[in-house]
Amino acid sequence: MSDIRLTENSQHRRHGSNSGQGLTRREGVLKVTGAATYAADNHPDGMLYAVCATSTIARGRVVGLDEAAARAHPGVVDVLTTGNRPALAMDPDAKTNPFMFRLDLLQNDRVRYAGQPIAVVIAETLEAASEGALLLAPRYEVDAARVGLDGAESFVPQAVGVGSPSLAEKGDVEAGLRGAHRRVEATYETPAQYHNAMEPHCVVAAWDGDRLSLDMPTQGLAMAQQRLAGLFGIPPENIAIRSPYLGGGFGSKGFPAGPQVLGIMAARHTGRPVKLVLPREQMFGPVGHRAATRQSLRIGIAEDGALTAIANHTRTASSTFDDFFEPAADVAHTLYASPAIRTSYDAVRLDTGTPLFMRAPGEASGSITLESAIDEAAYAAAMDPLAFRLRNYADVEPMSGKPFSSKRLRDCYEHGAERFGWTARPLEPRQMRDTDGLLVGWGVGTATFPAVMFQANARAVIRRDGPALLETGAHDMGQGAWTALAQIGADALGLSIDAVEFRAGTSDLPDAGIAGGSGHTATAGLALHNAGVNVLARLADIAMADERSPLFGAGNVGTLARDGRLVRRDDESRGESFAAILERAGLAEIDASGQGAVDGASQEAYAMHAHGAVFAEVKVDPDLGQIRVSRLVGAFAAGRVINPRLVESQLFGGMIWGISFALHEHAVVDHRSGRIMNADFAEYHIPVNADVPSLEAILVHEDDPHVNALGIKGVGEIGITGTGAAIANAVWHATGRRLRRFPIMLSDLIGEPQRD
C-alpha cells in the first residue's frame, strides 16, 4: 500500500509558533481541484460492482428471491444470499465488548428493519448490479412493525450512552419541587435523525490469499482492522486500510458498517476486487442514526430565581437486536447549580436499525430540551432568560461536585450578548417586528460538550537531508485534522509547517485512536507533540555527548529547538543544525515515538468541558407561520485554539446543524410498514444556503491547565448544542407559542400540529 503524503506548499511560511495561526488546509487544493482520492474513487484492475438488495418490510422473513432472474441478467456475475455467502470466523451477532455492534451479514432469513441488506448482487457494471438487485423481487412473511416511542413495551435499560447509569440523582428532587415557589413541567419530543454525510459508506476490497486491502472511509483505522480481523479470521496486520479523506462521518463511520463488510465478502466470494457504495436511500437503516426521545422535565424555582430541582425522565429507543440508548437527559448533570438533580430513562425496542453515536450524542437532543425548559423557567420567575442563566451559573459541575478544569461560560454569555445586542431585547413576546411586518424574536441557549481524550501513538523522524517526518494514522473527516495536527507536530520540532512532511490516513501508521467525541486533535496532537519532544531529546543527547559539538556538556541547562537547530537554553547563540549533529554521528535520520493519553489524575480531580452560548434571531410570518433564522451569534470557550480558521468552520457547521435540528430534520416513518418515507435528500430536509443566516462565532480565550498538556479541547460537536434551543426560544419570543416538538413546523404555528 502506498503512503499518503501531504507535501503541498501551504504558502504560509512563518517564524515562531505554527499553532494559533489560521493556516489554510494543506490538502485544500487537492480537494477543490478533484485530485483528492476518496475511497470510491479507486478502481483496481478487474474490479466488480456490488449492490445491496434491501428489505421493503420492517419485520418478518424473506421466503423467496428470484435469484435465477438476477443471475441471468447481462453483466451479473453472482448473487450473495444466506445460502452461499462466505463463511465468517465470528458470528456477526456476537459481542465481545460494549463497542462492538451487531451486523446484518446475511446470517439468516430474518428481517429486523426496513432497509436491511437481504442479498448482494455482484456484476461487471454498476448498472447491471443495480438492475439485478431489482430483479430479485423478494417475497416475505410479514409481521406487524413496532414503530414509535409507544410502539412496544417499555423497560429500563441497564446503561445509556457509553456506560452511564440509567438512573442518576443527587439531593432530594421531590422535596425541591414541593418547596419551589414556581414549577415548570413540560414534555419535549425530538425526532429520529439519520446520518447523511456527503460521502456515503462504501468500500473497495481486494483479497490476496489471506491478505486484505481496503479503500474505506473510517473514523477508526485500528478499530476497523480489529473488527474485520475477527470476522474474517485473519491477523489485523494482514488488513491494510487506506482512508486519507472522509466526506464527513459524524459518528457513523466509527465502526465498519454491515454493507462495507458485505462488499468485502463479495470480493472473497468472487476472487476479484469489488466496490460497494451505498446509494443515499440505503443510508437510512444499517449505518446508524440518532434515536427519537420523549423528555419529561420538571424544574423548581425559588422566589429569588434560584433553581431548587431539575428532573428529566427520558424515553428513547433502540433496535430489537442491539443496545444503544441516547443519553439525552445527562446534559442536566453539567450545567446549572441546582441542589437536586435526577435523570432517569426507559426505552422501547423498535423494528429499526440500531441507533449509534451521532454528532453530540445525548448533548444535542438533551440540550435543545433542557435549554427550552430553562427558558420556560426564566419566564416563570419573571426574569430575563440570560439573567436567569447567570443567576443559576454553576461554579462546580453540579452532579459530581468536581471543580471545572476551566470554566469560561460566564465570559461566553457576556461576549455573545454584547455582540448580539441582547440588552435591547424586550422581555415579553410578540413585541418586535421588522419593516416587512414579520414577527422578530431573540433567544439564547447554553452550549456544552465534555472535553474527552482517547489514546494515540505517533512517530517523529528528523532527517539529515530533507524535511522532518511526522506519522500517525489520523483521520480527517473534513475538520482539517491534517493541517492542525501538522501544526502541532511542527511546533514540537521547532520547525515551520513547510519544513515538515505529515503522513496520515493509512492503517500501517501508528494507531491514532478514533476520530470521535471531539477528542481527535487533543489525542493525536499530544501523541505527535510527545514524539517530537522525544526525538529532540535523542538528538540532544547525541550532541551534548559529542566534544566537537557547541552543545557539549549542556545537559544541566538543556536545549531548545529553533528553526532546524538545537541551541542552549541559556545562550541561544550557541548551537548547531539538526543536520550537522546527524552528519557527525554518521546517521541519516533519528526517530522516536510518542503517545497521547488521558491524564487519569486530572480526570479524577476535575470536570472537563467546553462551553459556549448561542444567540439567535428569527423572523416569523404571522399569517403563514414561515420561520427564517436571520442571525446567529455564538461565543465558545474551547481551550487552546490550534487553527482559528478551522475552528470557526467547525463551529459554523455545528450551528448550521442546530438550525436543522430546530426547524428541518426528521425521519418520517410509515406506521403501517415501518419504512422511512423520506429516505432521500428531496424530502429529508436539511438546511440549504437560503436557510443559513449571518453566522458569527466568537472564540473566547481559555487557558485550561488541566485538560491535557496542550490545553486543547474539541470543537466538532459543541456548536450544535445550544443552537437548536436558542432558535426554539427565539420562535417563542417572536410568536408567544411555546413549541415542544422538534423540528418546529408551519402547522405548529398556524393550527393544530400535524405529525406522522
Side-chain angles (χ1 to χ4, degrees), residues 3 6 14 67 117 120 175 179 229 242 284 307 471 493 549 573 633 637 704:
D3 289 323
L6 280 177
R14 296 183 182 271
E67 297 179 46
V120 178
R242 290 189 300 184
F284 291 77
L307 292 170
E471 293 182 325
L493 295 173
S549 172
S573 67
V633 174
D704 189 331

Side-chain angles (χ1 to χ4, degrees), residues 12 172 380 535 650:
H12 287 280
D172 190 333
V535 75
Q650 285 290 287

Side-chain angles (χ1 to χ4, degrees), residues 350-413:
L350 305 178
D351 297 308
T352 180
T354 303
L356 286 175
F357 305 97
M358 188 169 180
R359 196 174 197 172
E363 284 81 10
S365 49
S367 65
I368 197 170
T369 59
L370 176 63
E371 285 299 295
S372 295
I374 286 291
D375 220 62
E376 293 195 50
Y379 277 91
M383 292 180 66
D384 172 84
L386 179 58
F388 185 79
R389 286 169 170 82
L390 288 167
R391 169 67 181 83
N392 289 287
Y393 178 88
D395 289 317
V396 298
E397 187 179 55
M399 182 64 84
S400 70
K402 293 180 184 179
F404 288 103
S405 57
S406 177
K407 186 165 176 66
R408 301 298 298 276
L409 178 55
R410 190 181 298 276
D411 293 340
C412 294
Y413 285 140

Side-chain angles (χ1 to χ4, degrees), residues 251-276:
S252 73
K253 295 173 182 171
F255 313 93
Q260 293 171 313
V261 182
L262 289 171
I264 300 169
M265 293 166 64
R268 171 169 270 190
H269 181 72
T270 60
R272 291 170 61 179
V274 167
K275 177 190 292 189
L276 188 151

Side-chain angles (χ1 to χ4, degrees), residues 143-286:
D143 296 326
R146 292 160 289 193
V147 176
L149 291 174
D150 297 310
E153 185 177 351
S154 67
F155 65 98
V156 177
Q158 289 187 341
V160 298
V162 188
S164 297
S166 56
L167 173 64
E169 56 188 334
K170 78 155 195 178
D172 190 333
V173 166
E174 299 306 323
L177 292 170
R178 286 194 303 270
H181 180 68
R182 293 281 188 272
R183 288 171 55 169
V184 168
E185 297 189 11
T187 298
Y188 290 82
E189 293 187 6
T190 65
Q193 300 174 344
Y194 277 77
H195 288 107
N196 267 290
M198 187 178 296
E199 177 196 30
H201 290 64
C202 60
V203 67
V204 179
W207 287 90
D208 181 5
D210 68 347
R211 305 191 74 86
L212 175 62
S213 295
L214 301 173
D215 291 286
M216 183 178 78
T218 174
Q219 295 173 233
L221 284 160
M223 291 178 66
Q225 273 185 311
Q226 292 289 336
R227 180 67 163 127
L228 296 173
L231 286 169
F232 290 99
I234 59 177
E237 58 269 21
N238 282 19
I239 302 174
I241 306 175
R242 290 189 300 184
S243 188
Y245 306 102
L246 281 77
F250 311 113
S252 73
K253 295 173 182 171
F255 313 93
Q260 293 171 313
V261 182
L262 289 171
I264 300 169
M265 293 166 64
R268 171 169 270 190
H269 181 72
T270 60
R272 291 170 61 179
V274 167
K275 177 190 292 189
L276 188 151
V277 181
L278 288 188
R280 184 58 58 185
E281 63 269 18
Q282 291 185 9
M283 294 286 290
F284 291 77

Side-chain angles (χ1 to χ4, degrees), residues 35 46 73 89 99 133 184 190 200 263 300 435 498 525 585 658 715:
H73 188 68
F99 294 100
V184 168
T190 65
T435 55
D498 296 315
V715 295

